[in-house]
Amino acid sequence: MVCVGAALYMGHVGWGVFAAGVLAFALRDIVLRSEAQLDERGLTLRIWPLRRFRPWTDFARAVADEAGVFCSPYRRPSRLDAFRGEYIRCPGRQQEVLDFVRSRLDSIQT
């Protein structure tokens, strides 16, 4: 509906296509399947078509919620968490993932 509305309001189909592209990009984390791979070196996130690796040295804190684990580069909560951190979706396995991430962070910080 947003795309059709954009096309009608702007008077050209191209704006509807542009709106669809922007909407798809904004919702890619929710719509597309994402995978997280955790190993001794770091965290690899794959959200089609992107693949991003971050070593454990990039993170200082990990917290769990009902749907996953959030890894932050800041020791205390910050306004920049949403822009600098990584969220690992793992419903039902939060404690297992949180324990692994914290063990990696503890081994780096000592």
Side-chain angles (χ1 to χ4, degrees):
M1 295 303 292
V2 170
C3 302
V4 172
L8 291 174
Y9 181 75
M10 298 301 281
H12 194 275
V13 175
W15 286 107
V17 173
F18 177 74
V22 169
L23 191 60
F25 182 77
L27 296 175
R28 74 185 183 284
D29 292 347
I30 297 168
V31 175
L32 298 176
R33 184 170 176 242
S34 64
E35 295 178 5
Q37 180 181 359
L38 305 143
D39 59 22
E40 298 299 319
R41 297 179 315 122
L43 167 65
T44 303
L45 290 174
R46 286 183 228 153
I47 302 171
W48 187 87
L50 305 173
R51 182 178 181 174
R52 181 174 48 223
F53 172 78
R54 293 195 53 192
W56 293 122
T57 55
D58 284 0
F59 303 109
R61 175 175 57 95
V63 292
D65 64 14
E66 67 278 350
V69 176
F70 180 73
C71 299
S72 171
Y74 305 107
R75 290 195 184 278
R76 287 181 265 154
S78 168
R79 293 181 197 173
L80 297 175
D81 274 341
F83 303 104
R84 304 283 190 244
E86 299 290 352
Y87 190 76
I88 305 166
R89 294 183 194 285
C90 54
R93 298 182 57 203
Q94 299 94 316
Q95 193 58 48
E96 178 185 348
V97 172
L98 182 63
D99 291 342
F100 180 81
V101 170
R102 284 188 175 162
S103 72
R104 298 298 88 194
L105 298 180
D106 289 343
S107 69
I108 291 168
Q109 294 171 0
T110 57

